[in-house]
C-alpha cells in the first residue's frame, strides 16, 4: 500500500511538472488590408533557444485563431506568418503565451511610397573612401498593403562603388542582411525586401578608390524629405550648389549638411577632400540628444532660419538625430567602419537598434559584450538573421548549416552561463 501510494505521488508530480513545462501559444492573425480575420494562413512557432528550429506548425481557423503546443515556456519563441511572399513576425518572450499578428495584402507597386531621409556618411583612410548610405522610406498606402517584388526599393550608387554590406529593417523589426541586386541601368540596384505599412530602413556600406579629394554626385531614385551628408570635421566639404545645403550646428567632430525636399534629378553634387573618421562617441551623444534609441524629441531653442526651428517648434530631424550620426543602430560607426564581416560581428556585436526589439547582430558598431546575457541576446539575434538569409536564398544550404552549427554551440554555452548567473 505504501509503495502504491508513493508511485501515485510520483506520477502526480511528474504530470504536474509536464503540464507546467508544456503550454499552448495562442493568438489571432488579422488582415490589415481587409480588416477581417485571416483564415487558412500557415503559422509557424520557432524555438530561439534551439537555433530557430520549427517547434510547431498550424493554420488559422475561420476566425483567424491559432493554437500550438509550446514546450519550454521559459525560453524565447518567435511566431512567423508567411503570406503572399512576405513574412510577418511576433516575439513570444518567456512567460507569455499569446501573439497577435497583422498581415497585409501584397502589391507590386503603390503610389503612397515616400522617402523620409537619405543619409550619406563619408570617411576616408589612405586611398580608400568608405561610405554608408542610410534610407528611411514610408509606406502610407490606404488601405494598407505590403509592397513585394524583385525590386521594391531602388538605389543608385557612385561609379566604381563596391558594396561591402547591406541591411534592411522593417517596421518594429530586426535588421537583416539583404544585399540588393544589380538592375539593367548601370550603377542601379534593387532591394527585394518587402515594404510593409510604416517605415522601412535600408543601409548600404560600400567603398571607393580615393586620391585625396573626390566629387560625389548623388542620383536619387526617390524623393526624400531630407537629404543629409555627414563627414568628419577634418574633411573638407564643398557643394556645387551651396544654397541648397544648410549646416546642422553643434555637431562636435562632424560636419552635417542637410537639404530639405530633395527630388530625383536635383543636382546634389559635392566635393570632399582630406581624410578622417567620424568620432565614435557621436553615437552616444546623438542617442542622448534624441531621447534614446527610439529617437524621441529634442528641445531646441535655436533661432529660426535654415534647419534651426523657431523656439519651441519641433525639429523635423529630431527623430533621426541618432540615426544621422550613429547610423540607424545597424550601421558601423567611427574608426570601426572598415569592412566588418560576420565572423567579427559574432565576437563583438551587441549594438542597440532604434526599435524596441532585440539587439541587432548584423554588421553593427562593435560593442564589448559585458556579460553572458548580452552575448546570449546577440547570438539569438544572429540566429534570427541567419534564418532570414536562408529563406531569402542569400546563402547556400551548406553555408547555413555551417554557421548554424557554430552558433548553436556558442548559444548553448551562453544559455548555460546565463542559467548559472
Amino acid at each position: 500500500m505504501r509503495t502504491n501510494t508513493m508511485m501515485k505521488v510520483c506520477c502526480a508530480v511528474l504530470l504536474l511538472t509536464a503540464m507546467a513545462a508544456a503550454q499552448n501559444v495562442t493568438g489571432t492573425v488579422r488582415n490589415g488590408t481587409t480588416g477581417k480575420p485571416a483564415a487558412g494562413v500557415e503559422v509557424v512557432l520557432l524555438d530561439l533557444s534551439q537555433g530557430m528550429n520549427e517547434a510547431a506548425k498550424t493554420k488559422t481557423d475561420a476566425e483567424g485563431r491559432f493554437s500550438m503546443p509550446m514546450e519550454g515556456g521559459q525560453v524565447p519563441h518567435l511566431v512567423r506568418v508567411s503570406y503572399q511572399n512576405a513574412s510577418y513576425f511576433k516575439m513570444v518572450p518567456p512567460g507569455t503565451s499569446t501573439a497577435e499578428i497583422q498581415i497585409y495584402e501584397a502589391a507590386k507597386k503603390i503610389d503612397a511610397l515616400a522617402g523620409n531621409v537619405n543619409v550619406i556618411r563619408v570617411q576616408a583612410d589612405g586611398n580608400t573612401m568608405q561610405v554608408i548610405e542610410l534610407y528611411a522610406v514610408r509606406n502610407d498606402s490606404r488601405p494598407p498593403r505590403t509592397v513585394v517584388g524583385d525590386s521594391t526599393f531602388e538605389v543608385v550608387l557612385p561609379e566604381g562603388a563596391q558594396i561591402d554590406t547591406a541591411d534592411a529593417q522593417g517596421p518594429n523589426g530586426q535588421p537583416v542582411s539583404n544585399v540588393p541586386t544589380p538592375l539593367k541601368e548601370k550603377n542601379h540596384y534593387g532591394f527585394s525586401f518587402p515594404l510593409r505599412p510604416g517605415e522601412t530602413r535600408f543601409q548600404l556600406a560600400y567603398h571607393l578608390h580615393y586620391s585625396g579629394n573626390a566629387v560625389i554626385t548623388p542620383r536619387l531614385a526617390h524623393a526624400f524629405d531630407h537629404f543629409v551628408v555627414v563627414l568628419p570635421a577634418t574633411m573638407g566639404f564643398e557643394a556645387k550648389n551651396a544654397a541648397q545645403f544648410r549646416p546642422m550646428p553643434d555637431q562636435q567632430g562632424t560636419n552635417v549638411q542637410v537639404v530639405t525636399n530633395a527630388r530625383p534629378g536635383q543636382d546634389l553634387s559635392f566635393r570632399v577632400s582630406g581624410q578622417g573618421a567620424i568620432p565614435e562617441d557621436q553615437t552616444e551623444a546623438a542617442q542622448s540628444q534624441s531621447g534614446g534609441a527610439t529617437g524621441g524629441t529634442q528641445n531646441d531653442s535655436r533661432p529660426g532660419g535654415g534647419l534651426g526651428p523657431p523656439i519651441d517648434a519641433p525639429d523635423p530631424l529630431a527623430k533621426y538625430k541618432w540615426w544621422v550620426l550613429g547610423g540607424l543602430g545597424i550601421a558601423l560607426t567611427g574608426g570601426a567602419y572598415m569592412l566588418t564581416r560576420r565572423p567579427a560581428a559574432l565576437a563583438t556585436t551587441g549594438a542597440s537598434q532604434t526599435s524596441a526589439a532585440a539587439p541587432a547582430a548584423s554588421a553593427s558598431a562593435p560593442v564589448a559584450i559585458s556579460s553572458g546575457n548580452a552575448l546570449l541576446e546577440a547570438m539569438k539575434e544572429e540566429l534570427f538573421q541567419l534564418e532570414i538569409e536562408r529563406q531569402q536564398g542569400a546563402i547556400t544550404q551548406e553555408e547555413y548549416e555551417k554557421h548554424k552549427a557554430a552558433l548553436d554551440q556558442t548559444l548553448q554555452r551562453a544559455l548555460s552561463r546565463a542559467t548559472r548567473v
Side-chain angles (χ1 to χ4, degrees):
M1 289 290 294
R2 185 173 299 175
T3 301
N4 289 338
T5 301
M6 290 296 296
M7 289 181 63
K8 291 179 180 179
V9 172
C10 290
C11 289
V13 171
L14 291 174
L15 180 61
L16 290 173
T17 302
M19 292 175 62
Q23 58 181 331
N24 284 354
V25 56
T26 60
T28 304
V29 180
R30 294 190 62 84
N31 189 315
T33 305
T34 64
K36 298 178 180 180
V41 176
E42 184 177 85
V43 184
V44 177
L45 180 66
L46 303 173
D47 186 342
L48 300 187
S49 70
Q50 297 298 321
M52 297 291 292
N53 287 342
E54 290 189 5
K57 181 187 298 185
T58 188
K59 286 190 176 183
T60 56
D61 62 16
E63 298 299 322
R65 296 186 296 253
F66 66 88
S67 178
M68 295 178 288
M70 180 174 65
E71 299 290 340
Q74 298 308 309
V75 299
H77 289 78
L78 187 73
V79 173
R80 181 184 71 212
V81 178
S82 298
Y83 183 69
Q84 295 185 352
N85 296 321
S87 294
Y88 303 84
F89 299 91
K90 183 71 173 183
M91 288 292 298
V92 184
T96 61
S97 59
T98 60
E100 305 300 320
I101 303 174
Q102 188 156 252
I103 64 175
Y104 302 92
E105 294 296 309
K108 290 187 176 181
K109 186 178 181 180
I110 61 171
D111 295 329
L113 186 64
N116 285 337
V117 63
N118 175 195
V119 183
I120 298 182
R121 289 164 42 90
V122 179
Q123 298 184 134
D125 180 16
N127 61 357
T128 302
M129 176 187 295
Q130 305 95 31
V131 182
I132 288 181
E133 290 220 36
L134 307 168
Y135 314 85
V137 295
R138 64 182 183 273
N139 176 352
D140 294 331
S141 55
R142 293 290 182 271
R145 290 166 293 168
T146 294
V147 182
V148 298
D150 296 332
S151 182
T152 57
F153 181 74
E154 298 182 8
V155 298
V156 184
L157 300 186
E159 180 71 28
Q162 298 184 41
I163 297 177
D164 300 315
T165 60
D167 297 271
Q169 179 182 358
N172 301 317
Q174 293 87 2
V176 297
S177 177
N178 190 277
V179 179
T181 57
L183 302 178
K184 291 183 179 180
E185 191 172 348
K186 189 177 181 181
N187 300 322
H188 281 236
Y189 296 83
F191 285 91
S192 61
F193 192 76
L195 303 180
R196 304 173 182 87
E199 186 177 82
T200 299
R201 297 172 177 179
F202 297 93
Q203 168 198 300
L204 263 175
Y206 57 89
H207 66 277
L208 300 156
H209 178 73
Y210 185 62
S211 59
N213 67 83
V215 174
I216 298 178
T217 305
R219 297 173 59 191
L220 302 185
H222 303 271
F224 286 92
D225 294 339
H226 297 94
F227 171 81
V228 185
V229 179
V230 184
L231 66 159
T234 56
M235 294 184 66
F237 173 88
E238 181 183 355
K240 181 178 180 179
N241 187 351
Q244 296 182 121
F245 288 83
R246 294 289 184 272
M248 183 182 293
D250 304 325
Q251 306 301 328
Q252 294 183 357
T254 60
N255 181 0
V256 182
Q257 300 284 334
V258 183
V259 176
T260 58
N261 299 320
R263 295 293 181 263
Q266 186 174 350
D267 190 352
L268 300 171
S269 302
F270 59 90
R271 179 186 296 274
V272 296
S273 58
Q275 299 190 23
I278 295 175
E280 296 183 22
D281 59 359
Q282 286 298 301
T283 301
E284 295 181 2
Q287 181 177 356
S288 176
Q289 290 176 3
S290 61
T294 55
T297 59
Q298 175 188 5
N299 293 327
D300 195 332
S301 58
R302 294 174 295 173
L307 279 181
I311 295 176
D312 297 329
D315 185 343
L317 277 176
K319 66 177 292 188
Y320 297 106
K321 286 288 180 66
W322 182 52
W323 185 44
V324 168
L325 294 177
L328 183 60
I330 63 175
L332 310 181
T333 58
Y337 181 101
M338 295 292 292
L339 309 184
T340 300
R341 299 292 185 182
R342 181 185 301 277
L346 294 182
T348 58
T349 298
S352 61
Q353 60 179 350
T354 55
S355 69
S362 62
S364 307
V367 178
I369 300 297
S370 59
S371 68
N373 288 334
L375 176 61
L376 175 62
E377 291 303 318
M379 291 302 99
K380 289 175 183 176
E381 188 58 25
E382 184 65 13
L383 284 165
F384 175 88
Q385 180 173 328
L386 184 64
E387 178 69 17
I388 297 298
E389 291 177 6
R390 181 184 69 83
Q391 293 180 23
Q392 295 174 339
I395 59 175
T396 65
Q397 184 64 26
E398 182 180 357
E399 290 174 325
Y400 168 77
E401 293 176 355
K402 179 181 177 181
H403 287 304
K404 184 174 180 297
L407 286 167
D408 280 344
Q409 185 176 7
T410 305
L411 179 61
Q412 291 304 320
R413 291 199 299 267
L415 280 169
S416 178
R417 286 195 295 270
T419 303
R420 293 197 298 266
V421 173

